[in-house]
């Protein structure tokens, strides 16, 4: 019976036991969002046999989450369950990238060179010490003369001591001459080694705090296989950065150099990855808000004596609600884009170190033909400012971001660039024009008050506004000033201006006036402005 069982076991095909395959992953592509990123990893491994196996990938960052991970098998693979394990991990060698391996080899080579230089210096110092010791011994010789010494033997002994002493001191001098080059060689070896170590430390490194990915899989056949892992992480971001350069030489022209600032703190470096920048915001609100039924009710009107007692409570209850209703809805860049997604695919592989400073990557250059003018606000400023009006002719919005402002290649300031939708117009500032001098004088009134005359029910204010061009360049000037406005029929407002303004209630702002004129070099434009407010007696102006 036992013999028959042995024959059956030997001739019956049994299922192969699952074997654990250890593999590593490599980040090949990254899509960065304004808040977060999507990583694409490639895992290559060799299945020793067809059938079921367990794949162990022990180089994922410790912050990895299984719920934010997707696995896609290559041809000939079937995937089962997978999990992440952060403890009882198998030991692994210190992860080094190819660049780190080359830098480590250079450090080791220079360490050997440093040892050789140190040994050479020690050898020179030994020669100096030996020669100086020999010279000291010969100079201190006090041995007694032999009994049969003759003048000839004494002279021979003295000559020998002198010659040996001279030879020893010459050897010491020769060795000392080699001492300085040997010291310099060691110093250079130390400097080269320090630079190599710094270069090694500066290279992006693989993550040392890691977690393991365990995947159950079935291979159709033995051989090379791949698995693609898509992983979403939060500690990454990008934002636009602009350089705006306005030039008026040979015609008004505005160039916008677009760049991006990319940063990440995922715990591992992205080395030589294909980088895509997306304006999508998957981490923000994806569904519309919910409206809840609002119950209103009426109650008996309180008596007069209750109003005084409850006035404080009523004010506390009503004021927050009134303020909330009056506050404008917050404006965000995402809402201004109305769901449009801008994607930039960077044309070259990129390395982004974890925890390092923002990596700045250039994108492209846009050219515009702006409308340039000088905007003057004499009520607050002493000079006019350059403003360029541009229309976005591209089919994509310009995303919000920091912008450096240049005029004729000279830095004049910085600003925040809001979203500019396709076809939308915006005004961009480009610094002060020191040659356009502004003044706003209020001449003396009869009562001695500067530009203001007030009675019990009337107030008059006058001003003389001037813009003077002291430079050599002609400018189109847009002059802005203001007068009060009234919404009460009993408060009468009369405005006199010479010349009359070209525009009133600028941009829907009541009481804001604008004049537009060309100002040649050496010329001056003056505007007189007066307004009078009158109201019934017994009323007070506020």
């Amino acid at each position: 019976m036992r013999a028959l069982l042995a024959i059956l076991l030997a001739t019956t095909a049994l299922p192969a036991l699952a074997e654990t395959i250890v593999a590593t992953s490599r980040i090949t592509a990254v899509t960065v969002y304004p808040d977060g990123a999507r990583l694409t990893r490639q895992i290559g491994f060799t299945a020793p046999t067809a059938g079921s196996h367990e794949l162990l990938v022990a180089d994922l960052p410790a912050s990895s989450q299984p719920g934010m991970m997707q696995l896609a098998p290559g041809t000939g693979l079937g995937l089962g369950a997978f999990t992440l394990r952060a403890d009882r991990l198998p030991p692994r060698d210190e992860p080094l990238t190819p660049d780190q391996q080359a830098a480590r080899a250079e450090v080791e080579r220079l360490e050997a060179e440093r040892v050789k230089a140190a040994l050479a210096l020690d050898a020179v110092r030994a020669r100096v010490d030996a020669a100086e010791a020999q010279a000291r011994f010969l100079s201190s010789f006090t041995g007694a003369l032999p009994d049969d010494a003759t003048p000839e033997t004494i002279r021979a002994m003295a000559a020998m001591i002198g010659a040996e002493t001279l030879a020893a001191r010459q050897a010491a001098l020769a060795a000392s001459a080699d001492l300085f080059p040997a010291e310099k060689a060691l110093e250079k070896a130390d400097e080269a080694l320090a630079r190599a170590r710094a270069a090694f430390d500066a290279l992006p490194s693989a993550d040392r705090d890691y977690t393991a990915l365990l995947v159950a899989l079935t291979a159709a056949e033995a051989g090379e296989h791949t698995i693609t892992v898509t992983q979403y992480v939060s500690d990454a971001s990008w934002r636009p950065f602009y350089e705006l350069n306005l030039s008026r030489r040979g015609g008004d022209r505005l160039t916008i150099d677009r760049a991006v600032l990319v940063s990440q703190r995922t715990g591992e470096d992205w080395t030589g990855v294909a980088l895509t920048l997306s304006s999508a915001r998957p981490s923000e609100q994806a569904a519309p808000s919910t409206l809840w039924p609002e119950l209103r009710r009426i109650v008996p009107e309180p008596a007069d004596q209750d109003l005084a007692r409850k006035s404080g409570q009523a004010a506390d209850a009503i004021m927050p609600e009134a303020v909330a209703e009056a506050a404008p809805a917050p404006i965000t860049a995402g809402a201004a884009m109305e769901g449009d997604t801008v994607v930039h695919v960077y044309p070259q592989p990129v390395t982004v170190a974890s925890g390092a400073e923002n990596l700045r990557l250039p994108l492209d250059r846009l050219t515009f033909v702006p409308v340039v003018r000088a905007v003057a606000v004499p009520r607050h400023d002493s000079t006019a400012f350059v403003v360029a009006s541009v229309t976005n002719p591209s089919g994509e919005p310009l995303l919000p971001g920091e912008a450096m402002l240049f005029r004729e290649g000279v830095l004049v300031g910085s600003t925040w660039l809001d979203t500019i939708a396709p076809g939308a117009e915006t005004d961009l500032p480009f610094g002060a024009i020191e040659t356009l001098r502004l003044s706003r004088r209020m001449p003396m009134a009869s009562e001695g008050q500067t530009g203001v005359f007030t009675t019990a029910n009337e107030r008059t204010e006058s001003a003389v506004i001037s813009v003077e061009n002291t430079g050599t360049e002609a400018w189109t000037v847009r002059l802005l000033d203001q007068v009060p406005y009234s919404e009460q029929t009993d408060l009468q407002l009369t405005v006199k201006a010479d010349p009359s303004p070209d525009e009133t209630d600028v941009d829907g702002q009541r009481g804001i006036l604008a004049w537009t004129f060309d100002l040649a070099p050496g010329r001056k434009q003056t505007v007189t402005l007066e307004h009078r407010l009158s109201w019934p007696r017994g009323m007070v102006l506020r």
Side-chain angles (χ1 to χ4, degrees):
M1 184 68 180
R2 289 180 179 177
L4 178 60
L5 179 60
I7 294 173
L8 290 174
L9 289 174
T11 58
T12 303
L14 296 177
L17 297 177
E19 181 176 348
T20 300
I21 304 171
V22 179
T24 58
S25 67
R26 183 174 66 90
I27 300 177
T28 58
V30 177
T31 298
V32 184
Y33 306 104
D35 185 12
R38 180 183 67 198
L39 311 181
T40 301
R41 300 176 182 271
Q42 293 292 336
I43 303 174
F45 63 95
T46 302
T49 61
S52 299
H53 302 282
E54 183 181 62
L55 181 66
L56 174 64
V57 184
D59 61 355
L60 272 67
S63 59
S64 300
Q65 301 179 25
M68 304 296 289
M69 189 175 295
Q70 297 172 317
L71 274 62
T75 304
L77 279 183
L79 300 183
F82 70 90
T83 185
L84 293 178
R85 192 168 72 188
D87 56 357
R88 293 184 295 172
L89 299 177
R92 66 172 186 174
D93 296 332
E94 182 181 6
L96 292 179
T97 65
D99 289 340
Q100 282 183 305
Q101 294 173 3
R104 166 79 52 96
E106 179 65 10
V107 169
E108 294 174 350
R109 184 187 71 81
L110 291 175
E111 286 175 343
E113 293 293 331
R114 199 266 178 198
V115 171
K116 291 181 181 179
L119 292 176
L121 178 60
D122 291 341
V124 173
R125 287 173 176 169
R127 287 167 51 203
V128 173
D129 293 342
E132 290 178 346
Q134 185 180 8
R136 286 194 300 270
F137 171 76
L138 291 172
S139 63
S140 63
F141 179 73
T142 57
L145 296 173
D147 295 337
D148 57 348
T150 62
E152 289 76 9
T153 59
I154 293 175
R155 283 194 297 271
M157 182 177 294
M160 182 272 297
I161 293 175
E164 292 297 328
T165 301
L166 177 60
R169 293 199 177 278
Q170 288 177 339
L173 289 174
S176 297
D178 295 335
L179 188 61
F180 180 74
E183 290 175 341
K184 293 299 294 182
L186 180 60
E187 181 180 342
K188 291 182 179 179
D190 286 335
E191 292 176 354
L193 180 58
R195 288 194 298 269
R197 285 173 174 169
F200 174 79
D201 294 338
L203 286 174
S205 60
D207 181 37
R208 301 190 191 313
D209 188 12
Y210 63 99
T211 188
L213 172 66
L214 293 173
V215 185
L217 59 87
T218 302
E221 58 184 18
E224 301 295 327
H225 295 278
T226 60
I227 294 178
T228 301
V229 178
T230 302
Q231 181 180 5
Y232 293 85
V233 296
S234 60
D235 295 329
S237 64
W238 75 278
R239 57 188 175 93
F241 186 86
Y242 301 94
E243 287 187 2
L244 281 62
N245 190 6
L246 177 64
S247 176
R248 304 199 68 197
R249 298 171 183 171
D252 294 341
R253 185 168 61 94
L254 173 65
T255 59
I256 299 181
D257 291 319
R258 294 196 293 180
V260 293
L261 298 177
V262 184
S263 63
Q264 60 102 351
R265 297 181 180 274
T266 61
E268 62 178 338
D269 296 326
W270 303 340
T271 304
V273 300
L275 181 65
T276 300
L277 304 170
S278 173
S279 64
R281 299 177 180 268
S283 62
E284 296 187 0
Q285 179 176 337
S289 301
T290 301
L291 294 177
W292 301 98
E294 182 182 7
L295 174 64
R296 303 303 298 268
R297 60 193 183 93
I298 59 175
V299 297
E301 185 174 313
D304 294 341
Q305 59 269 25
D306 295 335
L307 292 177
R309 179 173 55 85
K310 296 181 179 179
S311 60
Q313 300 176 0
D316 293 340
I318 295 174
M319 284 303 294
E321 188 173 306
V323 170
E325 292 178 358
I331 299 175
T332 63
M337 294 173 63
E338 299 181 349
D340 293 336
T341 299
V342 179
V343 174
H344 297 288
V345 179
Y346 205 70
Q348 299 176 347
V350 173
T351 296
V352 185
S354 177
E357 297 296 329
N358 289 330
L359 175 66
R360 179 170 170 173
L361 300 173
L363 287 182
D364 55 16
R365 168 174 290 185
L366 304 176
T367 302
F368 301 86
V369 179
V371 176
V372 181
R373 60 180 179 269
V375 176
V377 186
R379 181 179 287 268
H380 300 297
D381 304 327
S382 60
T383 65
F385 289 81
V386 179
V387 175
S389 298
V390 296
T391 301
N392 181 6
S394 66
E396 64 180 75
L398 296 182
L399 302 176
E402 183 182 358
M404 303 297 290
L405 303 173
F406 296 84
R407 197 167 80 228
E408 306 297 349
V410 178
L411 179 65
V412 294
S414 63
T415 188
W416 179 262
L417 192 65
D418 290 326
T419 300
I420 307 177
E425 182 179 357
T426 189
D427 291 337
L428 301 173
F430 282 93
I433 310 172
E434 298 296 339
T435 57
L436 290 184
R437 310 303 300 177
L438 312 180
S439 69
R440 192 178 193 276
R441 296 179 294 106
M442 301 178 70
M444 299 293 291
S446 59
E447 279 73 13
Q449 297 174 325
T450 304
V452 179
F453 177 77
T454 303
T455 64
N457 62 340
E458 187 174 284
R459 177 185 175 92
T460 302
E461 179 178 323
S462 61
V464 177
I465 306 167
S466 65
V467 182
E468 183 178 6
N469 188 351
T470 62
T472 59
E473 183 178 4
W475 287 93
T476 297
V477 180
R478 180 175 172 83
L479 174 65
L480 298 173
D481 210 292
Q482 69 181 111
V483 293
Y485 72 95
S486 171
E487 293 182 343
Q488 297 174 295
T489 57
D490 289 340
L491 179 58
Q492 299 294 322
L493 171 64
T494 303
V495 177
K496 296 180 180 180
D498 184 23
S500 299
D502 300 298
E503 187 177 352
T504 59
D505 296 342
V506 176
D507 296 331
Q509 301 180 84
R510 299 185 63 179
I512 306 300
L513 311 176
W515 295 260
T516 302
F517 50 86
D518 293 329
L519 193 60
R523 301 303 299 272
K524 183 177 182 180
Q525 176 71 39
T526 300
V527 174
T528 59
L529 181 63
E530 179 182 290
H531 70 267
R532 183 177 63 182
L533 292 167
S534 60
W535 58 92
R537 293 184 180 276
M539 305 295 287
V540 178
L541 178 66
R542 291 286 185 249

